Amino acid sequence: MPVRFFVCRRGPGGGMGFAAQMARILRSDRVRLAVAAALVLAAGLGLGGCSRGTEAERAEKDSSRGGLTPVRLQLDWYPQPEHGGFFQALARGYYEQAGLDVELLSGGPRSMVLQKVALGQVTFGLWRSDDVTVAVSRGLPLVCVGAAFQKDPQALMYHAEHPVRGFADLEGRTVMAGAASVWVRLVEKKYGIQVHLTPVTFSIAQFMQDPLLVQQCLVTSEPFQARQAGAEVGTLLVAETGHNPYHAIIANRDWVAANRAVAEAFVRASLRGWRDYLEGDPSAAFAEIARRNPQHNDASMRFSREMIIRESLATGEPGEGGLGHVDRERLSAQAKILEQFGLLERPVSGAELVAEGFPLAAEE
C-alpha cells in the first residue's frame, strides 16, 4: 500500500518555525524560477561588484552609529527559539562589543534568503546546506561561514499508541509531510516505498483528530503543541535516514573575500551568543524573540531550547566539530546524494561550499 504524504504549511508567525521552510520542494518550478530570476538579475548587475558595492554603500550611509559596522542577517523564518543564539548575542551586546551594528531580519515564506545574500541585499543569511548546494550548482556565489545547527531538527511525529519505530513502518501509514523533500526520496529508495503526494494546508489539527496520522514536524516545536493539546506523541528524527543538512550561516563569496575581518567578527560574536544561550541564562534572547513574535511564551521557548540541547542540534555529537562547525567532507557527501537524485546542475564539492579560512572554532 503506498504511503500518502501531505504538505503541511503555516501562515505568518506559525509555530512550525523552520519546518515550513524545510519542506520546500528542491526541484519545484517555483524554486527553479526563483533561482533563475536571481541569476538573470545578477548577470545584469554584475553580481560580485554589486555585492561589495551594496554593502559598502550601506556601511558609508550608516557609519554614523558610533563607528559600528552595519551587518544584516536574514533569518529563514519568523523569530523563533531556534534562532536563540543570534538573539542572545544581540540582546547581550556581543555584536556591539565586536564593533558590529547587527540587524536580525525576520523571515517567512517569501524571505528569499539565498537570492538576497547572492545579490548583496543582506550580509548574511540562515539556510539549509542542501539548498545552498543546489543554488551553488546553479551559479549563485554563496559560501558557508558557519552553522547554527549541526543536526537537522526535522522529525516525524506520531501518536504513541501507533508508534513509528523506523522509516520502514511508514508503509501503509498516512503522513503529513513536505512534498518531494530529499528525505522522502531517500526513504522511497532505501525501503522501496512508493510515496503518493497530496498537498494540503492543515496544521496539527488533523493530527489531533486522527490517531493513525504521522506528521512531519520540528522536534523543537510541534511535539510541545500536541502535548499541550493532550496527545501522547513520539518522534523520529529525519536525520536518521542519512540525510542530515546543516542549518548554515551563509554569505556572498566575493563579499567574504573582501571583508574577512567583518565576517570573522560576526561569526565569533554569534558563536559566543549561542554558547551563552545554551549554557547560560537564555532570558535575554527569550524576551527579544517574544517581543518580535508574541506567539511564543516562556514554556514553548524553554521546550525548544531543551530539545536543542537534548538532541545536540547546535553542538552536534562528540567528535563532530562542535558549535558552529561545517565540515567540507560532510558537505561533499551531501552533495553526492543531491547529485544522485539529479538535483544539481553540476557537481559541487565541499571545498567550494565553505569560505576560505572558515569555519572558526567556538571560543570557550
Side-chain angles (χ1 to χ4, degrees), residues 213-299:
L213 181 66
V214 178
Q215 178 171 333
Q216 180 176 302
C217 70
L218 285 187
V219 74
T220 54
S221 181
E222 281 79 10
F224 175 82
Q225 299 172 27
R227 288 167 186 147
Q228 289 291 101
E232 291 294 328
V233 301
T235 57
L236 179 66
L237 282 172
V238 170
E240 295 182 20
T241 63
H243 182 68
N244 186 24
Y246 292 105
H247 287 273
I249 305 169
I250 61 172
N252 179 286
R253 182 186 300 114
D254 293 335
W255 183 87
V256 173
N259 298 273
R260 176 177 166 80
V262 176
E264 183 172 327
F266 174 78
V267 173
R268 289 199 185 282
S270 297
L271 295 181
R272 183 184 178 190
W274 272 104
R275 187 173 295 283
D276 190 22
Y277 178 68
L278 297 173
E279 299 178 0
D281 180 0
S283 58
F286 285 174
E288 186 63 19
I289 292 167
R291 183 183 72 81
R292 299 190 187 203
N293 190 353
Q295 179 187 2
H296 288 290
N297 57 40
D298 188 70

Side-chain angles (χ1 to χ4, degrees), residues 84-265:
F86 301 108
F87 283 104
Q88 187 83 347
L90 182 69
R92 294 290 297 271
Y94 299 154
Y95 289 130
E96 189 169 353
Q97 292 172 26
L100 306 176
D101 178 13
V102 172
E103 183 180 4
L104 303 181
L105 303 176
S106 179
R110 297 177 181 84
S111 54
M112 302 288 285
V113 176
L114 301 178
Q115 290 76 19
K116 286 181 180 179
V117 174
L119 295 172
Q121 296 172 355
V122 296
T123 326
F124 299 98
L126 188 64
W127 208 253
R128 289 166 57 91
S129 63
D130 50 4
D131 284 356
V132 175
T133 304
V134 173
V136 168
S137 80
R138 295 173 181 174
L140 268 67
L142 303 171
V143 287
C144 302
V145 293
F149 281 1
Q150 300 293 304
K151 293 173 62 177
D152 189 353
Q154 190 173 210
L156 296 181
M157 179 173 67
Y158 53 83
H159 291 270
E161 63 266 35
H162 298 285
V164 176
R165 297 181 176 84
F167 290 94
D169 288 351
L170 294 178
E171 180 67 43
R173 299 288 293 269
T174 299
V175 182
M176 182 182 289
S181 297
V182 172
W183 73 265
V184 176
R185 300 183 184 202
L186 287 171
V187 167
E188 288 181 312
K189 183 176 181 180
K190 188 172 183 177
Y191 299 103
I193 298 175
Q194 181 182 355
V195 178
H196 176 70
L197 303 173
T198 306
V200 295
T201 58
F202 297 146
S203 63
I204 67 165
Q206 185 177 351
F207 177 83
M208 295 301 299
Q209 296 170 4
D210 184 354
L212 292 174
L213 181 66
V214 178
Q215 178 171 333
Q216 180 176 302
C217 70
L218 285 187
V219 74
T220 54
S221 181
E222 281 79 10
F224 175 82
Q225 299 172 27
R227 288 167 186 147
Q228 289 291 101
E232 291 294 328
V233 301
T235 57
L236 179 66
L237 282 172
V238 170
E240 295 182 20
T241 63
H243 182 68
N244 186 24
Y246 292 105
H247 287 273
I249 305 169
I250 61 172
N252 179 286
R253 182 186 300 114
D254 293 335
W255 183 87
V256 173
N259 298 273
R260 176 177 166 80
V262 176
E264 183 172 327

